[in-house]
Amino acid sequence: MIEQPGNERTLPVDLQQEMRKAYLDYAMSVIVARALPDVRDGLKPVQRRTLYAMHEMGLRSDRPFRKSAAIVGEVMGKYHPHGDTSIYDALVRLAQPFSMRYPLIQGQGNFGCLAGDTKVELVNGEHKTIAELVEMTRHGVRSEIFTIDAHRNVRIKPIRAPRLVRRNDPVVKVTLGNGTSITCTGDHRFMLRDGTYRPAEALKPKDRLMPFARTAIPERLHRTGAFPIPASLSMLVSSVEPAGSADVYDLTVDVTQNFALAAGVFVHNSIDDDPAAAMRYTEARPAAIAAELLSDIEKETVDWLPNYDSRHQEPTVLPARLPNLIVNGSAGIAVGMATNIPPHNLREVVEAVKRLIEDPELTNDDLCETVLGPDFPGGGVIYRYEEQRNVETGKAERVDSIRRAYANGRGRILMRARAFREEIKGGREAIIVSELPYAVNKATLIEKIAELVAAKKLQGISDLRDESDREGMRIVIEVKRDDSFDRVLNNLYKHTAMQSAFNLNMLALVENQPRTLSLKDVLQHHVDYRREVIRRRTDFELRKARERAHILEGLKIALDHLDEVVKTIRASKSPETAHQNLREKFGLSDPQAKAILEMQLRRLTSLERQKIDDEYRETIMLIAELESILANPRRVLGLITSDLDELAERYGDDRRTKIMDDLSRQLTDEDLVANEDVVVTVSSRNYVKRMPLSTYRAQHRGGRGVIGMATREEDDVEHLLVARSHDRLYVFTDRGRVFALKVFELPDASRTAKGTPIQNILEAMQSGERVSALVALQDVTSAEHLVMATRKGFFKKTALAEYATVRRAGLIAIVLRKGDELAWVAPCGEKDRIVLGTRKGKAIVFQASDARPLGRQTQGVIGVKLGKGDMVVGMGIVRPRSEVLSVTKNGFGKRTAEGEFPTQGRGGQGVLLAALSAKTGDIAGIQVVDEATQEILLISTNGVVIRTPLEQVRVLGRATMGVKVMATGDSEIASIATFTSTGTSQTQLGLR
């Protein structure tokens, strides 16, 4: 039975109101006491408490390091009872040179390293020292190593980035049971037999390590890829002793993060995204610049409040000579708001604050002339300008994104890695990345690039490796010989974190209220706060000076009446009586009488008397100086300026991040490819490629041509198109579907190369689906309609606007009857005429307006009535003074004036196109040409291409067979194309 207490009071509350109140209390607690920095010192509470606790512990930049665990314990026990994780994370961040522009804490001992003469067991059986591996990597030699996976199986993995880490580091010597020894730093971790790790300095005799013996690794490891460590193997620690100092090295093994030494044990390695070592292994102390945040804290410059249990006092804010908020930046997520302030260069900030002191009317734009932009610790490149669309006018405008962000307190700044071109052996090029955008992890970036290359989303990369060492970052990305350095680099920026955005949000606490601040606001708050700190410091020093002058005045009185003072003291029965007698007889105050009683006899000498007089005069002068400072605000500002100059002199350095405009950042793949005439070919097996038109020199008609494409057996060339690199290419298939891409996206190949399967480019193409027609247009306004023709004579007209947006999965362009296929597509206007040519030498010309525009998912209408065994072999757009070029399969061709073809209604049988015989063969294809057409390209089924001036093809009547244009030999004409000096080309293809 549960008894109900009868003395409790129940208050009815509204649940919604109670939840709102509780949530708001929680939100304000997170905002004020956890997540957001104070505008005055730029610190969050946990950071402030950490620095103050280190100050209280007596830690300084010129004193020995202390264990991080001791510091965390001090902070948690006195000021921050929210667990050790948040404290240690804050300490680590304040010590990271890649997070803080000017680190406030110095740390050491994060990861262990090995001496350079430590030998490693390679898979090929060699034993190499880590120093030798560094040199091998520099010369491009790759090595593989043994490692242990999560299931304690031996694996083989490549070595990555062997490197020198530190010079003259304290080391220890670990001696093993087999008599071998390993020299390493005390915090280097050894793998124990149970798979856990223990630092070298914590190892004890008879500790069991994870053993390794090459004789226990069978050859089948190379086939299976995994092998367990035999239970019979064993390795014990014999001793651990100091070994002086040495240069120390490390290497990286991805994923498993350990490797086998020749001594017969496994050790941990260092990776870029390892977390900080446990706090019991690391040490810390304040950096020299941290003292500038705590300077004068003992002079009542800040307010104090009780800690969580009211046993200690902690500062509400630090005095902060350093404008830390803008110099080191801050990042934090509160409830419903977040801050993200970038770091800046100290010299620039100092100069800007000095300018603001001299002229408080300066605007944000004025200050931006001094503070050029963020200055990230890792360097990199940021861009000042970006193009944005004006909401009112709808026009694109060039906007200074950095100045706008500083003016509004929020904005987006584009960052890029710093990369340059380097020639490597073999005459190839490599992209060398030396600096990354802020907060981009190197190991994660490399893994992402490798994933994109494997997924074929990044083309043109032949190799990727990390050659970073103590001298700096160096990521090597080798470019394939047939690809473009600029194109690969541009794609890296486009698809990886080598190009990132910093979303600036200068949110900070102002009088415990979150406010979004402009650049001027942040600097002005620093000036105002320093003015207050100096006022309070001067008040404190003035009070202390006056108190000291008061004491000195009492001492002077005592020295002037020394005998009487001594007599009065000797006549008193107790110190209390003497104190009272001195006050009454000489008119002294309580502090003066106390000081006289505490004065040592040596102060009675004449020399000491002179010192008191001198000190009194100096104190009086100091009081006058301090009173002058308080009375003159300009002197306070002068002190602020002198403090800033001292900061810039002691800690200032050059800018690391380069600021550029946006001229190079907006490059697209299209910008990086020359807009030139190219030839696009597609084989019957859908192998596609593009080549510069200049690949083919002009020849006289009747020649044999040159090899234009290497074809395999039963793989004939079907399509030939002359276009511009920047044209939009519509790819139509025999199943009535259409895909779209830019011409330059097709692989650039040599004249004799086979090309690339188009399914690798248009991944949505189905198995067995073939390319039937190609259309290249500059844009969707180039024509009114697209007209289509099928093998069985169907014709369709569709508005070009319906193809303005073509999905990667393609669109349905026409609905086909069974056994029919789409073969020709061309742009046309409403007043144009259409010509359809058939294999048996017939042609029909009709008005495009005879067919009404239809939607995409329709069949079309009959264009030409075909005889038995006949089929359509070509379509063209007929305009005034144009000519119909017809070519037979055996290489005979002619031009026929368009006037010789009467305009008929669609659906008829047409008129004679050419006189055919066994010598000429059937019609292979037709094209419509005009006076602007200069040359003709023909390609045979075995891949031979001939380029001939059009004027060499004679103009003949309809009832003629034409002249020899190309000697085909045993092959036949597969496709024809024409081009003009302006680069526009006929696009109706699909010839067999």
Side-chain angles (χ1 to χ4, degrees):
M1 177 178 179
I2 301 175
E3 296 184 0
Q4 296 292 337
N7 59 350
E8 290 191 0
R9 192 166 51 130
T10 303
L11 297 176
V13 297
D14 182 89
L15 181 60
Q16 186 175 358
Q17 288 280 58
E18 186 67 17
M19 290 184 65
R20 180 182 292 110
K21 179 178 179 299
Y23 183 77
L24 288 176
D25 290 344
Y26 164 74
M28 287 307 299
S29 173
V30 172
I31 291 170
V32 175
R34 191 180 307 174
L36 298 184
D38 194 295
V39 71
R40 295 170 291 180
D41 62 5
L43 297 173
K44 302 176 186 179
V46 64
Q47 296 171 329
R48 186 180 304 115
R49 290 164 177 167
T50 301
L51 291 175
Y52 179 67
M54 296 175 76
H55 179 76
E56 287 290 287
M57 293 172 68
L59 298 178
R60 303 292 185 270
S61 62
D62 56 353
R63 297 180 186 176
F65 288 89
R66 288 284 297 275
K67 282 290 186 182
S68 299
I71 299 171
V72 171
E74 180 80 3
V75 177
M76 186 167 59
K78 288 185 176 181
Y79 308 114
H80 197 80
H82 304 298
D84 56 359
T85 303
S86 61
I87 301 171
Y88 188 50
D89 288 348
L91 185 150
V92 169
R93 179 176 173 81
L94 293 176
Q96 290 173 334
F98 52 83
S99 296
M100 305 288 288
R101 183 62 176 82
Y102 301 92
L104 300 177
I105 291 177
Q106 294 177 349
Q108 73 171 14
N110 188 28
F111 292 107
C113 303
L114 298 158
D117 59 358
T118 304
K119 290 189 176 181
V120 177
E121 182 86 23
L122 302 183
V123 173
N124 62 9
E126 294 181 322
H127 290 178
K128 293 291 184 180
T129 67
I130 298 185
E132 290 175 332
L133 291 175
V134 172
E135 290 302 316
M136 290 167 58
T137 301
R138 287 177 178 170
H139 290 87
V141 179
R142 303 298 182 83
S143 303
E144 291 184 322
I145 204 168
F146 292 106
T147 183
I148 293 280
D149 65 13
H151 303 288
R152 300 185 199 173
N153 290 326
V154 178
R155 299 274 186 177
I156 296 175
K157 283 189 172 290
I159 294 175
R160 184 165 67 80
R163 56 200 176 276
L164 173 66
V165 179
R166 294 187 295 272
R167 294 190 181 276
N168 297 320
D169 223 30
V171 293
V172 298
K173 182 170 74 171
V174 178
T175 304
L176 304 178
N178 61 3
T180 60
S181 62
I182 302 166
T183 303
C184 61
T185 56
D187 54 350
H188 194 79
R189 292 180 279 176
F190 285 69
M191 182 182 284
L192 301 181
R193 196 63 169 86
D194 61 2
T196 61
Y197 291 96
R198 184 173 295 172
E201 60 189 4
L203 291 175
K204 298 177 182 178
K206 297 187 178 180
D207 276 348
R208 299 180 66 223
L209 302 179
M210 182 66 75
F212 174 79
R214 187 176 183 84
T215 55
I217 306 299
E219 290 299 324
R220 71 171 181 269
L221 173 63
H222 297 275
R223 300 191 300 272
T224 63
F227 186 78
I229 294 290
S232 59
L233 281 183
S234 178
M235 182 63 70
L236 301 179
V237 176
S238 177
S239 64
V240 180
E241 57 187 354
S245 299
D247 294 347
V248 291
Y249 294 73
D250 206 349
L251 55 84
T252 298
V253 179
D254 290 328
V255 183
T256 54
Q257 304 166 22
N258 63 72
F259 57 95
L261 298 180
V265 293
F266 285 90
V267 295
H268 193 271
N269 75 165
S270 172
I271 60 174
D272 294 308
D273 52 357
D274 268 342
M279 67 181 78
R280 61 184 180 274
Y281 300 129
T282 61
E283 297 177 338
R285 67 183 179 189
I289 198 171
E292 307 300 340
L293 293 175
L294 292 151
S295 177
D296 301 325
I297 195 171
E298 71 284 352
K299 295 182 179 180
E300 300 179 1
T301 51
V302 297
D303 294 329
W304 298 75
L305 52 78
N307 71 335
Y308 63 92
D309 61 1
S310 298
R311 294 185 180 184
H312 303 278
Q313 294 282 314
E314 62 175 299
T316 59
V317 66
L318 300 185
R321 292 177 67 198
L322 176 75
N324 184 57
L325 182 65
I326 193 72
V327 166
N328 270 323
S330 184
I333 301 175
V335 179
M337 60 187 67
T339 184
N340 199 24
I341 303 173
H344 293 78
N345 184 271
L346 178 59
R347 289 177 180 170
E348 294 179 6
V349 172
V350 165
E351 287 303 314
V353 175
K354 288 167 62 178
R355 288 186 61 197
L356 188 61
I357 290 173
E358 294 172 2
D359 184 4
E361 301 301 321
L362 290 177
T363 65
N364 281 291
D365 280 347
D366 296 330
L367 293 171
C368 286
E369 295 175 2
T370 304
V371 180
L372 303 179
D375 189 22
F376 297 111
V381 180
I382 60 176
Y383 291 86
R384 177 170 297 281
Y385 298 101
E386 65 178 356
E387 293 227 347
Q388 285 198 345
R389 187 171 299 277
N390 188 303
V391 179
E392 297 180 357
T393 64
K395 296 181 179 179
E397 295 181 349
R398 193 166 181 254
V399 178
D400 189 328
S401 59
I402 296 179
R403 293 199 176 197
R404 185 182 57 185
Y406 284 154
N408 299 333
R410 63 178 66 230
R412 178 178 179 273
I413 298 175
L414 191 72
M415 307 179 293
R416 265 190 179 178
R418 187 172 293 191
F420 58 91
R421 187 193 314 259
E422 184 175 287
E423 294 288 336
I424 58 177
K425 60 183 180 181
R428 293 182 297 135
E429 294 181 326
I431 299 169
I432 308 299
V433 181
S434 58
E435 296 173 4
L436 292 178
Y438 186 58
V440 172
N441 181 271
K442 180 181 66 175
T444 304
L445 173 68
I446 292 174
E447 291 174 7
K448 179 65 174 178
I449 294 174
E451 289 175 5
L452 293 174
V453 171
K456 297 183 179 180
K457 293 182 179 179
L458 271 180
Q459 304 290 335
I461 296 176
S462 61
D463 195 13
L464 170 67
R465 60 183 180 273
D466 182 7
E467 296 182 358
S468 305
D469 55 22
R470 186 178 177 84
E471 304 301 321
M473 180 184 299
R474 180 180 168 87
I475 302 173
V476 181
I477 304 168
E478 293 188 7
V479 180
K480 289 182 178 179
R481 194 183 304 275
D482 58 348
D483 218 309
S484 163
F485 170 92
D486 292 321
R487 182 175 178 226
V488 173
L489 180 59
N490 197 65
N491 283 330
L492 285 169
Y493 286 141
K494 182 178 179 181
H495 297 291
T496 73
M498 283 179 61
Q499 176 173 299
S500 306
F502 187 93
N503 295 306
L504 182 146
N505 187 12
M506 296 207 292
L507 184 74
L509 294 177
V510 179
E511 297 179 353
N512 278 341
Q513 296 295 321
R515 279 185 53 193
T516 300
L517 306 170
S518 67
L519 174 63
K520 181 178 179 180
D521 291 337
V522 174
L523 301 182
Q524 188 62 57
H525 277 295
H526 176 72
V527 173
D528 295 342
Y529 178 57
R530 287 301 299 168
R531 185 188 289 117
E532 175 66 15
V533 167
I534 291 175
R535 184 194 64 77
R536 295 181 63 161
R537 182 187 69 189
T538 306
D539 278 339
F540 175 83
E541 292 175 344
L542 180 59
R543 187 175 73 252
K544 292 296 183 181
R546 285 172 175 169
E547 290 174 357
R548 183 58 182 167
H550 184 63
I551 296 296
L552 292 172
E553 288 171 352
L555 294 178
K556 284 171 62 65
I557 291 173
L559 292 174
D560 291 341
H561 305 82
L562 183 59
D563 293 338
E564 294 181 40
V565 169
V566 172
K567 183 178 178 181
T568 301
I569 295 174
R570 292 185 64 183
S572 302
K573 293 182 179 181
S574 65
E576 291 77 12
T577 305
H579 183 274
Q580 185 64 28
N581 291 338
L582 286 174
R583 292 190 62 185
E584 292 176 356
K585 189 170 183 177
F586 298 101
L588 300 174
S589 66
D590 184 75
Q592 287 175 329
K594 185 177 180 181
I596 291 172
L597 289 173
E598 293 175 350
M599 184 172 63
Q600 298 175 347
L601 291 176
R602 64 182 177 81
R603 302 294 298 272
L604 301 178
T605 64
S606 58
L607 183 59
E608 288 296 323
R609 294 184 63 175
Q610 183 61 43
K611 286 183 178 180
I612 290 175
D613 291 338
D614 292 342
E615 184 183 355
Y616 181 71
R617 283 193 298 272
E618 291 174 0
T619 304
I620 295 299
M621 293 175 62
L622 175 60
I623 291 172
E625 175 72 10
L626 295 174
E627 288 176 340
S628 174
I629 291 173
L630 291 174
N632 188 352
R634 294 300 303 174
R635 294 204 60 186
V636 175
L637 295 177
L639 291 174
I640 297 175
T641 300
S642 62
D643 286 345
L644 291 170
D645 287 336
E646 184 179 345
L647 288 171
E649 178 66 25
R650 292 184 61 185
Y651 309 108
D653 57 4
D654 295 333
R655 164 173 282 278
R656 299 178 187 176
T657 301
K658 185 177 181 180
I659 300 177
M660 300 178 64
D661 59 22
D662 62 344
L663 295 180
S664 62
R665 82 168 199 197
Q666 298 292 348
L667 290 179
T668 63
D669 287 347
E670 188 169 328
D671 298 324
L672 297 172
V673 177
N675 191 18
E676 60 182 357
D677 290 316
V678 295
V679 177
V680 177
T681 58
V682 183
S683 74
S684 61
R685 290 181 177 267
N686 279 351
Y687 279 82
V688 63
K689 69 173 181 178
R690 67 178 171 90
M691 300 160 289
L693 181 61
S694 56
T695 303
Y696 306 103
R697 59 181 177 84
Q699 299 179 359
H700 291 289
R701 66 173 178 87
R704 298 191 60 86
V706 295
I707 297 294
M709 189 176 194
T711 60
R712 55 182 290 181
E713 188 176 354
E714 298 180 357
D715 184 17
D716 299 334
V717 177
E718 278 199 1
H719 305 290
L720 178 71
L721 171 69
V722 178
R724 302 284 285 179
S725 301
H726 292 185
D727 286 351
R728 183 173 176 84
L729 180 66
Y730 292 92
V731 181
F732 293 85
T733 71
D734 57 348
R735 297 182 183 178
R737 296 203 300 161
V738 61
F739 301 88
L741 72 163
K742 288 288 189 176
V743 171
F744 65 78
E745 294 182 56
L746 298 175
D748 189 7
S750 65
R751 179 170 56 84
T752 58
K754 181 172 61 174
T756 301
I758 199 166
Q759 288 88 346
N760 292 353
I761 304 168
L762 303 176
E763 298 177 356
M765 282 189 67
Q766 300 170 357
S767 176
E769 191 171 10
R770 295 186 303 103
V771 175
S772 61
L774 302 173
V775 175
L777 299 172
Q778 291 185 358
D779 51 58
V780 294
T781 63
S782 302
E784 298 178 62
H785 302 97
L786 282 181
V787 291
M788 309 173 192
T790 71
R791 293 287 180 188
K792 293 188 175 182
F794 278 88
F795 175 81
K796 176 181 174 181
K797 183 172 68 174
T798 304
L800 182 57
E802 294 205 26
Y803 302 95
T805 304
V806 180
R807 301 188 302 267
R808 298 295 295 183
L811 295 175
I812 295 176
I814 187 173
V815 176
L816 298 171
R817 289 188 176 184
K818 185 177 180 180
D820 199 2
E821 62 182 56
L822 175 65
W824 296 274
V825 183
C828 80
E830 191 65 28
K831 297 181 180 180
D832 291 334
R833 290 184 297 161
I834 310 298
V835 58
L836 296 177
T838 72
R839 183 167 59 184
K840 298 301 182 181
K842 291 293 187 71
I844 185 172
V845 176
F846 57 88
Q847 294 286 346
S849 57
D850 285 356
R852 62 184 179 86
L854 300 174
R856 289 187 296 102
Q857 299 190 40
T858 56
Q859 175 182 269
V861 296
I862 296 177
V864 61
K865 186 179 295 184
L866 298 174
K868 186 177 180 180
D870 203 359
M871 63 188 304
V872 178
V873 294
M875 179 186 74
I877 308 301
V878 179
R879 296 183 175 91
R881 295 184 299 279
S882 61
E883 299 166 336
V884 177
L885 170 68
S886 57
V887 180
T888 68
K889 288 189 174 183
N890 292 342
F892 286 83
K894 65 175 179 176
R895 293 181 290 159
T896 304
E898 53 89 14
E900 296 201 22
F901 296 91
T903 302
Q904 301 175 275
R906 64 171 181 80
Q909 293 186 355
V911 297
L912 184 67
L913 172 63
L916 303 180
S917 64
K919 180 179 179 181
T920 62
D922 292 338
I923 298 292
I926 66 168
Q927 284 274 17
V928 176
V929 298
D930 54 27
E931 62 270 12
T933 307
Q934 293 181 329
E935 294 179 310
I936 176 176
L937 263 71
L938 290 86
I939 188 167
S940 65
T941 53
N942 60 4
V944 175
V945 175
I946 188 171
R947 174 179 172 182
T948 301
L950 185 62
E951 61 184 18
Q952 294 189 9
V953 180
R954 295 173 58 186
V955 178
L956 299 172
R958 291 190 292 111
T960 58
M961 68 177 187
V963 297
K964 194 70 170 179
V965 179
M966 181 178 183
T968 57
D970 295 333
S971 62
E972 296 179 342
I973 297 296
S975 184
I976 63 175
T978 60
F979 66 95
T980 67
S981 59
T982 59
T984 57
S985 64
Q986 300 291 337
T987 54
Q988 52 272 31
L989 297 171
L991 312 180
R992 288 182 178 243

